[in-house]
Amino acid sequence: AQTVTQSQPEMSVQEAETVTLSCTYDTSESDYYLFWYKQPPSRQMILVIRQEAYKQQNATENRFSVNFQKAAKSFSLKISDSQLGDAAMYFCAYTTNYGGSQGNLIFGKGTKLSVKP
Amino acid sequence: EAGVTQFPSHSVIEKGQTVTLRCDPISGHDNLYWYRRVMGKEIKFLLHFVKESKQDESGMPNNRFLAERTGGTYSTLKVQPAELEDSGVYFCASSQEVRVSHEQYFGPGTRLTVT
């Protein structure tokens, strides 16, 4: 069974600094998708960034980028120039077309990120 | 465009009672998903609708949970009778296409507390 592990329950970063959130996953599939979702306090979860496993190039969205290491099954999120609005719970998620799933997401436990002014 | 909405935002019920959660997806989104997060654990998939049909309900915990999506619009998730372990946050998400790469838009969740 596929699993997603986020080993950092909480992280803290100084405003304007860079922080990296870790995520590892386990799968026997070769074709899958990885996501980072962000849930600000008392707000809806939103997609931050996605990565297709068949793409070697790491995805980037403005200040957010990933380090996708397929062989190591690692998918870390780097937030550059951290802002107060980045404070949130971050979830790493996985999905695949195989095994009968149709977009069903498998989540990690989440990492709570605090940003200090 | 309105996002995914869920009602109620909070619900506190006693063990043995019935509760019905509602999710209104984004208009035009055929795919609707239910997830649940129990305190301290991962968000877990419950089931997936494509229009009014259940595509996958492999994540439903047991037969005390009943999900419906009449007419392919909003969905309800009924828990009857509720047990203490049903407490958690229930999320609904919708997407326009079934392609797994397609973004799922999440609702704010319903926090269910069973006492």
Side-chain angles (χ1 to χ4, degrees), chain B residues 68-99:
Chain B
E68 295 181 327
R69 192 183 182 195
T70 306
T73 55
Y74 70 91
S75 174
T76 58
L77 180 64
K78 183 163 73 173
V79 185
Q80 179 184 28
E83 298 288 345
L84 298 179
E85 63 264 25
D86 300 332
S87 295
V89 181
Y90 290 76
F91 294 100
C92 173
S94 72
S95 70
Q96 195 167 26
E97 297 184 31
V98 77
R99 286 183 294 129

Side-chain angles (χ1 to χ4, degrees), chain B residues 13-20 36 61-66 78-87 90 112 114-115:
Chain B
I13 61 172
E14 292 184 352
K15 176 182 173 180
Q17 289 185 324
T18 297
V19 64
T20 299
R36 176 175 75 171
N62 50 61
N63 59 11
R64 295 186 293 103
F65 289 74
L66 175 64
K78 183 163 73 173
V79 185
Q80 179 184 28
E83 298 288 345
L84 298 179
E85 63 264 25
D86 300 332
S87 295
Y90 290 76
L112 174 64
V114 182
T115 62

Side-chain angles (χ1 to χ4, degrees), chain A residues 33 35 37 39 44-45 47 50 89 91 95-97 100-105 107-109, chain B residues 4 33 35 37 40-43 45 48 55-56 91 98 100-104 106-108:
Chain A
Y33 296 81
F35 307 85
Y37 277 88
Q39 186 178 26
Q44 279 148 277
M45 197 152 42
L47 179 65
R50 93 188 84 200
M89 184 71 84
F91 294 97
T95 192
T96 178
N97 263 324
S101 72
Q102 291 288 328
N104 309 339
L105 295 169
F107 287 91
K109 286 187 178 181
Chain B
V4 178
Y33 303 83
Y35 296 88
R37 186 183 187 202
K41 297 195 174 182
E42 298 89 345
I43 300 169
F45 163 78
H48 169 208
Q55 181 73 24
D56 181 356
F91 294 100
V98 77
V100 298
S101 61
H102 217 264
E103 179 177 356
Q104 292 185 24
F106 281 80

